[in-house]
Amino acid sequence: MTGSETRVAIEWLTSVAPDPSACRWEWERNPQGIALLPAGRRWDVLILPGELGYPTLDVLTRLIDRPGPVLADFGESRMGFFVPPGTASRWLGTGIRGAGPGTWIVVPHPGRAAGGVRWLIPPDGSGTLTDAALLELAMHEAAGAAAQGDREGG
């Protein structure tokens, strides 16, 4: 990301913080390069297990040029897809957690490497989010391909 892209992404992310300047300050001084941000205002986050998340992201990037922001956590065991607000409260899916109003997520600085969590697709600052229906389609395709591979391999 360029400096201006990072600045725009920081502004977009911190716009949901109760105190955006305190959030920016925390990002600059926290040795882990992370901040806690509330979900449910500009975006919700659907959290998938890594074994489903990575194939889903592969399918998604074949379907569209640029999905919304995507996070990966420690050891890449979970992935968080940024989706429109309200998605988490309507989502029904086994093994998928939703972060919406009343929840906070760990968010790394978009322009630097952070400890424990990283951007697979950083925010572009424009508000681009992954369409929940498209994400669901990609998850079904990824899960179907995995099941097919299991049947053929076993």
Side-chain angles (χ1 to χ4, degrees), residues 13-60:
L13 287 167
T14 60
S15 71
V16 302
D19 183 346
S21 61
C23 181
R24 285 188 293 276
W25 185 90
E26 179 70 17
W27 261 334
E28 295 303 322
R29 285 153 187 82
N30 183 321
Q32 292 183 338
I34 58 171
L36 283 174
L37 292 176
R41 293 183 184 171
R42 288 192 184 254
W43 33 260
D44 285 358
V45 180
L46 291 181
I47 303 163
L48 283 63
E51 60 269 8
L52 176 60
Y54 279 97
T56 297
L57 183 58
D58 288 343
V59 171
L60 200 55

Side-chain angles (χ1 to χ4, degrees), residues 2 22 39 41 71 85 87 105 117 127:
T2 67
R41 293 183 184 171
L71 291 170
T87 301
I105 63 166
V117 65

